[in-house]
Amino acid sequence: MDIHQKQAVSEVVLDKAGTLETILSKKTDIQSSCLKVSGPMNDDDIAYIGKLIRKTAEVTCLDIKESTELTSIDHNAFENCEKLVSVILPNGLKRIGDHAFDNCTGLISMELPDGVQIIGDRAYSRCANLVSINIPQSVSYVGIGTFFGCYKLTELHVADGNARYISYSGILFDRVDKTLLKYLPTKKIESDFHIPNGVVHIGNYAFDGCKGLVSVFVNEGCTDLGERSFVGCEDLKSIILPSTLNNITYNAFEGCGSMIEIEVNANNQKYSSLDGVLYSKKMDTVEIFPKAKPSPYFFPSKVRKIHDGAFAGCTDIHTIFIPPYMVHIHNNAFNGCSALSYVNISSSVKLIGGFAFAGCINLKKIEVCSDNPPKCGVSSFASVDMSKCVLQVPIDSEMSYRKEYGWDSFKNVKESFCLSLFSSVPFLRMIWMILKKVFVKKS
């Protein structure tokens, strides 16, 4: 975009790098929405321009094409410059720093000059209106989450001859690391998508915001799903994982509110699946519970552990019985389960991790079956209404709970006989749930 043809430009010519702030501070204002700076520049000059743009909404266009000595746009330089629409960069540029243009929501396009070698982590993340950008032949590193939140990105062109990166049919690949880096949200999304053969890694944020994607078949040979790799895929209902997969980050499916099934190849040596739930191979750990899978859910008899964030964001879960022999409820295990109203915690549980039940805003009753209060992590019950939620504990243990960190904030503590034995017998457990509902109605 040639800003000179569109608007008048305020020009500043520098004789020495690092003097831009001194020169501009003597001006009463910027006479145009477009600022052109030429001559020797350094990181201090760039930092000041970023500060200026964040401070005043008048500057929307920046032309530093004729600047000299400038080889990098430093980390966070233009972060949150939301009014910035156009930037023309100098030919000598080698590096775009981490978060350099993060949250520049007004930015529509950018032409990176030949010679750029590094595009930093989340350099263009949250540029919600970014439509097009190029990756020159010289680029040897595209950072983690570089295009996270770029939901209007239509054109991501990799120059011919780039030794590491290639774009094909709306998908950005790292052919050295054999990683699928980015599936463009504006691409004509197939409702059923098969990851191409040869992909070994699904990168962090790879399918970020891909609405319309309903099912995914991950190819044999793929070994891992990166952090938040399918975040915001609101229509994703199922995913089929290969025998080769050996690592899934706990938040890979964050925001996948329609997911009801995770299936894994029976030959996988690390994971197994049953009724759409992902477990460890030995079925002793709940790895990931699909967010749209409804209540009630009963743990298989072998389960001894709930992985970090396994049920996080599951808004259809209403009742949970923590089974006997489970010792540790891990961090974020039920974080954001907003419909969860009743929890029964068996006497075997000794530790409840940080934020384990945070965001369970409708939690009405917690029944703990241990005479000795389980240790709580940081904010284990954050956002739970502790003035209304009933904490039911064994006979003669109320004072112990009232003194223990994490439990001491509950106002409504009651002693009662605990029936955690039912949590290990599905039939009796169901009867107990029905009786409790009848009792609640009568009372």
Side-chain angles (χ1 to χ4, degrees):
M1 179 180 182
D2 189 348
I3 60 177
H4 300 84
Q5 294 178 359
K6 301 294 183 181
Q7 296 165 289
V9 179
S10 291
E11 294 193 41
V12 178
V13 179
L14 302 180
D15 294 322
K16 183 180 179 181
T19 60
L20 181 63
E21 181 174 4
T22 301
I23 293 172
L24 288 184
S25 64
K26 295 178 181 178
K27 292 179 175 288
T28 57
D29 60 355
I30 301 298
Q31 298 298 318
S32 170
S33 60
C34 293
L35 175 64
K36 179 179 180 180
V37 183
S38 57
M41 295 182 69
N42 62 17
D43 291 342
D44 291 338
D45 297 317
I46 291 296
Y48 179 71
I49 294 174
K51 179 180 177 181
L52 179 68
I53 294 173
R54 283 186 286 270
K55 182 178 180 180
T56 173
E58 282 73 25
V59 179
T60 60
C61 305
L62 176 65
D63 182 354
I64 53 175
K65 183 176 182 179
E66 296 179 15
S67 66
T68 58
E69 301 181 13
L70 187 67
T71 59
S72 69
I73 303 297
D74 208 3
H75 302 319
N76 309 93
F78 296 102
E79 185 176 9
N80 297 321
C81 290
E82 298 179 5
K83 300 298 182 180
L84 191 60
V85 174
S86 175
V87 180
I88 301 178
L89 299 171
N91 290 327
L93 202 66
K94 303 295 183 185
R95 179 177 66 96
I96 307 290
D98 297 347
H99 297 268
F101 294 93
D102 188 353
N103 201 37
C104 289
T105 55
L107 197 63
I108 297 173
S109 65
M110 179 161 292
E111 184 71 24
L112 298 182
D114 293 336
V116 170
Q117 298 171 0
I118 295 173
I119 303 175
D121 296 347
R122 297 191 66 159
Y124 295 92
S125 68
R126 301 184 295 166
C127 290
N129 288 295
L130 186 67
V131 173
S132 66
I133 192 168
N134 66 304
I135 297 178
Q137 180 180 341
S138 52
V139 170
S140 60
Y141 177 78
V142 176
I144 297 171
T146 296
F147 303 109
F148 166 67
C150 297
Y151 298 131
K152 293 185 179 180
L153 192 59
T154 303
E155 299 178 18
L156 205 169
H157 177 69
V158 180
D160 293 339
N162 188 291
R164 182 166 187 175
Y165 299 101
I166 186 172
S167 59
Y168 174 75
S169 189
I171 306 173
L172 177 65
F173 295 97
D174 178 341
R175 50 188 167 189
V176 173
D177 287 344
K178 299 180 180 179
T179 301
L180 191 157
L181 289 177
K182 187 66 178 176
Y183 183 109
L184 300 192
T186 53
K187 182 183 185 295
K188 185 178 180 181
I189 295 176
E190 301 94 332
S191 59
D192 300 324
F193 182 68
H194 292 254
I195 305 293
N197 291 330
V199 171
V200 176
H201 313 284
I202 307 296
N204 297 352
Y205 312 97
F207 290 86
D208 163 42
C210 290
K211 299 177 182 179
L213 192 62
V214 176
S215 61
V216 173
F217 301 81
V218 181
N219 63 296
E220 282 293 328
C222 184
T223 63
D224 58 278
L225 305 185
E227 180 180 348
R228 304 177 81 187
S229 45
F230 291 89
V231 61
C233 292
E234 298 176 358
D235 301 311
L236 185 61
K237 293 182 178 180
S238 67
I239 188 166
I240 298 177
L241 306 174
S243 65
T244 52
L245 200 77
N246 58 36
N247 185 55
I248 305 174
T249 56
Y250 81 91
N251 58 3
F253 302 109
E254 181 179 324
C256 297
S258 298
M259 179 167 280
I260 58 175
E261 182 180 34
I262 302 172
E263 183 180 333
V264 63
N265 188 295
N267 293 321
N268 191 290
Q269 296 302 302
K270 184 172 182 179
Y271 300 109
S272 60
S273 57
L274 178 66
D275 296 331
V277 180
L278 186 71
Y279 298 92
S280 60
K281 185 64 176 179
K282 294 181 180 180
M283 294 287 292
D284 59 356
T285 301
V286 180
E287 298 285 348
I288 301 176
F289 189 89
K291 297 191 183 338
K293 194 172 181 64
S295 246
Y297 165 74
F298 301 124
F299 291 88
S301 60
K302 292 182 179 180
V303 169
R304 301 291 182 267
K305 178 181 175 182
I306 301 172
H307 197 273
D308 291 3
F311 291 83
C314 293
T315 55
D316 289 326
I317 291 288
H318 298 88
T319 302
I320 284 291
F321 286 85
I322 304 299
Y325 310 115
M326 187 174 291
V327 175
H328 187 181
I329 300 174
H330 283 248
N331 297 341
N332 295 292
F334 297 94
N335 193 334
C337 292
S338 56
L340 187 62
S341 61
Y342 174 78
V343 176
N344 180 291
I345 301 175
S346 65
S347 59
S348 60
V349 174
K350 306 301 180 186
L351 179 64
I352 298 176
F355 298 93
F357 293 95
C360 297
I361 56 177
N362 286 302
L363 194 54
K364 295 179 174 59
K365 187 172 184 179
I366 303 173
E367 190 169 1
V368 189
C369 298
S370 174
D371 292 331
N372 298 313
K375 298 294 182 182
C376 290
V378 175
S379 301
S380 294
F381 298 98
S383 299
V384 173
D385 189 341
M386 295 184 177
S387 64
K388 295 181 179 179
C389 180
V390 175
L391 175 60
Q392 186 170 306
V393 300
I395 302 296
D396 295 331
S397 65
E398 177 181 345
M399 292 310 299
S400 297
Y401 279 84
R402 289 192 180 277
K403 295 177 182 179
E404 183 68 31
Y405 170 78
W407 303 107
D408 55 354
S409 297
F410 284 89
K411 307 302 181 186
N412 195 354
V413 183
K414 296 181 178 181
E415 293 183 349
S416 177
F417 177 66
C418 182
L419 297 174
S420 66
L421 174 63
F422 289 171
S423 64
S424 64
V425 184
F427 176 71
L428 294 176
R429 189 166 47 196
M430 183 63 73
I431 293 176
W432 173 234
M433 290 176 64
I434 294 172
L435 290 174
K436 287 178 75 68
K437 288 182 179 179
V438 172
F439 176 77
V440 169
K441 287 181 179 179
K442 288 183 177 180
S443 61

